Amino acid sequence: METKTLSIKGIHPIELLGSQDEYLQLIEKAFHSTVVVRGDQVIIKGEPDEAETLYKLFTELIFLLNRNGTLEAKDITTVIDLTKAGRLKMDENNGKSPIVVYGKNGIIRPKSKGQTAYFESGLQNDIVIAIGPAGTGKTYLAVAMALARLREKEVARIVLTRPAIEAGESLGFLPGDLMEKVDPYLRPLTDALFDMLPGDQLQKYVDRKIIEIVPLAYMRGRTLNNAFVILDEAQNTSPMQMKMFLTRLGNSSRAIITGDVTQIDLSENVESGLIQIQSILKDIEGIGFVTLDKSDVVRHRLVKEIIQAYELFHQNKNDEEKKP
C-alpha cells in the first residue's frame, strides 16, 4: 500500500468533491483505493500504481476547477475515463518540484534550482528581491505566487506595478492618455496574467480592483493593506522611488521586487534603487534576496547563449579598458 497527499489549500472541498461528496463517490466507485479529505489535504491510500493514477486524477480536477471556476459530474466521469485509459500525463517534473499555482494552461512550477529557491523565499519572507537576467522567470513566477496567495485568500488583491522609464522613446509623443501611453511598459505583467487566468475571470478581477496594474508613479500616497504587490523592472527605479514603493506596504501585505541590474535605463547620474537596496536591506529579517542566472533561463534555448555571449563581450571589454 502507498499513501499520496495532495494539497487543496484555497479550494472549498464541496467545489472539488461535490455536494454530499457526489463527485468523490463517482471516483471511489471507479477505483479500489481509499480517498480521505482532512483539512486542506486529499489523502490517497492504495496500491502504488493506482495511488499514482488517482494523484494524477485529482491534479487534473483541481486544474479544471481553477480554470473553469466549477466542476460538474460530467467533468468527473470524463477525467476518470481519461485517467483509466492512461491519457493523463504528469508534467515533466513528475511532481518533484512544488506547485506554485494551477494556471489555465496547466500546472506552474519552478523549473530550475534558482526558481525553486525563489519560490521558497516567497513562502518564508514578506518581501523578496529577485535579481537576474531576462528569461529567468522573475516576473512570471512572481505573478503565479501572487495569484496563489489570492486564491488561498491570504491576500484580498494583487497590485502590479512598473516604472515607465522611457527607453529610447518619448512618452510625450505616443498617442492616447497616460494609461494608454504606459500600457506597453505594463504589458509583460498582463501577459503573465492572461497565461494563468481565463480572459473573463481576469476582466472581472480588474473591474473589481482585485487585480490592479498601475505605473509606479500612481503608487505615491497609497497604503496597501492585505495585498500582494509586485514591482517589476525595479532596476529602473531611483532610490527615492524604491523607498516610496517599499513604504506603501500595509498590514498583511507581501511584496516581490524583480529586476535585471544589467539593463538599467536610468540617466548615468541616477543610481538604481535596486542596486542600492542590496546593501541597505540585506540584514533585515523577513526580506529575502534571490539571485538568478543564465542556468535559470527557461525561454528559447538561444536566450541562454545570447546572455552568455553578452557577458563574455562585456568581460572582454572591461579587461581591455583595464590594460595600461
Side-chain angles (χ1 to χ4, degrees), residues 299-315:
R299 291 183 183 169
H300 192 287
R301 64 173 184 83
L302 288 177
V303 173
K304 189 179 298 186
E305 295 184 30
I306 290 169
I307 291 170
Q308 191 168 355
Y310 268 96
E311 288 177 352
L312 182 60
F313 169 78
H314 288 299
Q315 182 61 52

Side-chain angles (χ1 to χ4, degrees), residues 6-269:
L6 184 66
S7 173
I8 57 169
K9 190 174 182 180
I11 298 173
H12 197 291
I14 290 178
E15 296 176 338
L16 180 64
L17 306 177
S19 177
Q20 299 182 336
D21 290 343
E22 174 192 359
Y23 303 158
L24 179 59
Q25 291 172 20
L26 289 173
I27 294 168
E28 289 180 329
K29 285 180 182 178
F31 298 93
H32 302 292
S33 300
T34 301
V35 180
V36 178
V37 177
R38 291 180 186 161
D40 58 4
Q41 292 184 325
V42 172
I43 302 169
I44 304 163
K45 294 183 179 179
E47 295 297 324
D49 288 347
E50 188 170 275
E52 176 68 17
T53 297
L54 278 168
Y55 184 90
K56 295 177 182 179
L57 182 146
F58 276 101
T59 298
E60 180 69 12
L61 290 178
I62 293 169
F63 164 60
L64 290 173
L65 179 58
N66 278 309
R67 186 185 68 181
N68 301 332
T70 185
L71 288 175
E72 299 179 5
K74 64 180 182 180
D75 298 321
I76 310 303
T77 55
T78 297
V79 173
I80 288 172
D81 292 342
L82 289 172
T83 305
K84 285 199 156 192
R87 293 169 59 191
L88 283 183
K89 305 293 184 183
M90 292 294 285
D91 73 349
E92 62 184 11
N93 292 281
N94 198 28
K96 292 179 181 178
S97 62
I99 296 171
V100 180
V101 74
Y102 293 86
K104 71 178 183 181
N105 296 318
I107 293 170
I108 297 171
R109 300 180 185 267
K111 294 183 177 180
S112 67
K113 288 183 179 179
Q115 288 191 357
T116 299
Y118 180 20
F119 172 66
E120 291 174 350
S121 185
L123 297 177
Q124 298 164 6
N125 298 286
D126 287 343
I127 298 176
V128 176
I129 294 109
I131 299 171
T136 51
K138 302 184 301 297
T139 303
Y140 196 81
L141 276 179
V143 172
M145 286 188 268
L147 188 57
R149 298 284 184 179
L150 181 67
R151 285 179 174 170
E152 291 165 8
K153 297 180 172 59
E154 293 183 15
V155 296
R157 56 179 169 157
I158 298 171
V159 180
L160 307 107
T161 186
R162 268 185 157 200
I165 293 295
E166 303 172 64
E169 263 187 353
S170 174
L171 289 177
F173 290 101
L174 294 175
D177 60 21
L178 178 60
M179 288 307 297
E180 290 172 325
K181 289 178 180 181
V182 300
D183 179 68
Y185 297 98
L186 302 173
R187 186 62 57 82
L189 298 170
T190 55
D191 284 348
L193 285 167
F194 272 118
D195 204 34
M196 298 176 201
L197 289 171
D200 57 344
Q201 187 179 11
L202 175 56
Q203 189 60 52
K204 186 185 300 182
Y205 280 160
V206 171
D207 291 342
R208 295 178 180 177
K209 301 294 185 181
I210 295 172
I211 293 179
E212 191 176 358
I213 309 168
V214 294
L216 182 59
Y218 279 33
M219 300 288 285
R220 191 173 300 279
R222 302 181 62 181
T223 299
L224 301 172
N225 294 313
N226 199 19
F228 198 115
V229 192
I230 297 172
L231 171 59
D232 196 35
E233 296 290 334
Q235 75 276 5
N236 287 328
T237 60
S238 68
M240 186 178 297
Q241 287 175 319
M242 179 62 75
K243 182 181 178 182
M244 180 273 289
F245 171 80
L246 289 168
T247 54
R248 298 309 92 202
L249 293 184
N251 295 324
S252 303
S253 288
R254 292 174 173 266
I256 291 182
I257 298 166
T258 71
D260 178 0
V261 294
T262 68
Q263 294 189 14
I264 297 173
D265 298 315
L266 295 166
S267 302
E268 290 185 5
N269 60 341

